[in-house]
Amino acid sequence: MTYDLATPSLARLWSHEPDWSQPYKVKRSFLTDITTSRSKKERRRALRTDKPRLTVAFNVIVSDVNQRAADQFMRGGQNAPAVVPDFSRSAALTGSSSAGASTLTMASPPAWVAVGQILVLMGPNGTREAVVVEAVAGSTITTVDTLDNAWASGRIVRPGIFGLMKDTTRTSWHKPSASTFDIELAAYPGGEPPEDEGTATDTFNGLEVVTIEPDWSGTPSMDHIWPVEQVDFSYGRTAQFRPVTRMQGIIEQQFKGLSAAQAQAFEQVFLRAKGMRGSFYRSTCKPDMALNANATASTTIVVQGRDIADDFSTVNFASVSQAIEIIKRDGTRLRRLVTDINASGGNTALVLNSAVTITTANVARISWLPRTRFASDDLTTEWVSPRFANISAVFQTVDE
């Protein structure tokens, strides 16, 4: 038998919860076509413009009757449509529904409560029920079939991920009556639960600014990339060509202990960018320069040392975009485009596109603010508990 997106009612519910000794992993995958010129300028095209592919992976420990049920699930339907509750998202019922009814009540249903989508109702003592949404009108959700169970106000509802189990699912047998299942399910393409992309809350120069700081205990890293073309005939002198005008950075960072709201905000950046397709501003999160003198309503600031001037004073900033972020000690963030760089005695003068008033006492950090994109079309959120998550992300600076 062939199954497709038109058969959500055929899905068999995997009702066993994750073993939180291992993370519950949610991977979102976009697909971007990138054409790169000799000078490393990019043209990027999103091949998945709507939803990313969605995969979840987690471990489950089952024993006794639950082990028998899980074993039978695999024997009878591992290769058939399945639905797994998304344990990273939830909402609560705000009204009661009786068995045999076909409506649920939820104040302000989230984006994943949508027509044709599967919802999983979570009750006590392992009671689970999967329903398909037929209609949504305000706080009333109509289901395709009637409810098998009564559901009280306050019961948890999760989006159901409708798809296929991995071809090979490993089970570790701890004893005859207890096992661990390594579960991985890929949602049917196009059938993933809808997600709220949100809107950028911080922008500069027409682009979103991503401000979340990395976890410094995770040792962020950066690969400095600046290729040189060489012609070498294996004897005599070689010739070098430098078509790439600026260094490119590949930055890997970890973000640990994120709350559900923080994790969703990070995921929304990825969703809005469509993976590697979009770009945004993101500072280096480091003190790249130190203010040398106070500036009062001035478009020029002077920073310590003249290394920056020695390296960049000949750059034509009319054609090369460069920006900085100034963070004051009170948390205020000032962002400016750099329009010129000159030597100022033994220091460097940065000419900005608009004036700032800052002092050496009230500036906490001045960082470069490069235009950046995700360096991968995959983003995995690892939920270490139902409330907290870790995300590892790789960013790449772009010259656009």
Side-chain angles (χ1 to χ4, degrees):
M1 184 175 182
T2 299
Y3 302 97
D4 57 28
L5 289 176
T7 59
S9 61
L10 295 178
R12 189 170 183 174
L13 175 62
W14 175 269
S15 59
H16 310 288
E17 302 221 7
D19 165 29
W20 291 102
S21 66
Q22 298 294 324
Y24 170 78
K25 300 178 182 180
V26 182
K27 184 172 76 171
R28 294 168 173 85
S29 301
F30 280 101
L31 185 62
T32 306
D33 176 63
I34 301 179
T35 302
T36 306
S37 70
R38 181 170 175 248
S39 63
K40 298 303 179 183
K41 291 186 180 295
E42 297 179 343
R43 175 171 292 180
R44 301 186 299 276
R45 179 168 61 103
L47 300 181
R48 291 179 192 152
T49 58
D50 184 17
K51 299 177 182 178
R53 298 283 176 88
L54 186 68
T55 303
V56 294
F58 55 100
N59 288 353
V60 174
I61 293 180
V62 288
S63 60
D64 301 323
V65 65
N66 288 327
Q67 177 181 253
R68 292 193 291 272
D71 284 341
Q72 189 55 44
F73 185 105
M74 293 298 170
R75 292 191 191 98
Q78 180 184 355
N79 74 332
V83 60
V84 169
D86 184 353
F87 293 97
S88 68
R89 291 181 279 177
S90 66
L93 295 177
T94 54
S96 299
S97 299
S98 58
S102 59
T103 59
L104 301 167
T105 304
M106 184 186 296
S108 303
W112 44 263
V113 178
V115 174
Q117 295 298 316
I118 299 176
L119 305 181
V120 181
L121 302 164
M122 315 287 289
N125 303 317
T127 303
R128 305 287 185 265
E129 185 172 348
V131 297
V132 179
V133 177
E134 184 174 54
V136 181
S139 61
T140 300
I141 303 164
T142 304
T143 60
V144 172
D145 298 313
T146 58
L147 299 172
D148 294 334
N149 303 282
W151 294 96
S153 177
R155 292 299 182 206
I156 296 298
V157 182
R158 299 188 186 276
I161 301 176
F162 171 46
L164 285 174
M165 292 281 189
K166 189 177 180 181
D167 290 349
T168 302
T169 298
R170 167 161 293 207
T171 306
S172 301
W173 298 345
H174 306 301
K175 58 182 182 178
S177 58
S179 306
T180 294
F181 284 75
D182 295 337
I183 299 299
E184 183 174 322
L185 180 137
Y188 281 123
E192 305 88 345
E195 298 197 74
D196 179 9
E197 292 187 0
T199 56
T201 58
D202 198 350
T203 60
F204 168 69
N205 194 35
L207 287 178
E208 180 170 5
V209 182
V210 178
T211 59
I212 184 171
E213 295 277 330
D215 184 280
W216 291 98
S217 69
T219 315
S221 64
M222 178 172 176
D223 292 337
H224 301 79
I225 302 172
W226 202 341
V228 175
E229 294 180 354
Q230 294 198 74
V231 177
D232 186 354
F233 295 102
S234 298
Y235 59 89
R237 303 182 67 176
T238 61
Q240 289 80 37
F241 301 92
R242 295 175 173 81
V244 181
T245 58
R246 286 200 289 181
M247 185 205 74
Q248 192 175 69
I250 306 288
I251 305 105
E252 185 171 356
Q253 297 175 331
Q254 295 181 18
F255 306 88
K256 296 182 179 180
L258 303 177
S259 67
Q262 290 172 323
Q264 182 187 42
F266 197 103
E267 292 164 349
Q268 287 176 329
V269 174
F270 185 73
L271 293 172
R272 288 193 293 269
K274 307 300 180 190
M276 295 194 295
R277 165 62 185 88
S279 62
F280 43 84
Y281 283 110
R282 174 162 177 76
S283 86
T284 61
C285 301
K286 299 192 303 179
D288 294 314
M289 55 198 82
L291 188 66
N292 186 68
N294 298 345
T296 303
S298 175
T299 57
T300 299
I301 64 170
V302 178
V303 298
Q304 296 175 8
R306 57 176 294 158
D307 289 346
I308 296 174
D310 290 343
D311 288 331
F312 300 120
S313 61
T314 60
V315 172
N316 179 11
F317 289 97
S319 58
V320 173
S321 178
Q322 183 65 64
I324 60 169
E325 180 180 66
I326 304 167
I327 301 181
K328 292 186 176 182
R329 297 194 183 279
D330 64 3
T332 303
R333 294 175 185 261
L334 306 175
R335 301 177 184 116
R336 297 293 187 269
L337 294 175
V338 176
T339 61
D340 202 3
I341 292 179
N342 302 294
S344 177
N347 299 305
T348 297
L350 276 69
V351 183
L352 311 178
N353 66 321
S354 62
V356 295
T357 296
I358 52 177
T359 67
T360 56
N362 70 15
V363 169
R365 188 178 81 195
I366 304 177
S367 304
W368 292 113
L369 186 66
R371 191 163 176 171
T372 305
R373 65 168 173 83
F374 285 99
S376 172
D377 273 325
D378 295 339
L379 183 73
T380 299
T381 305
E382 296 190 354
W383 291 88
V384 295
S385 79
R387 297 179 57 191
F388 296 103
N390 299 332
I391 296 177
S392 294
V394 184
F395 304 98
Q396 179 171 329
T397 59
V398 291
D399 188 7
E400 297 180 329

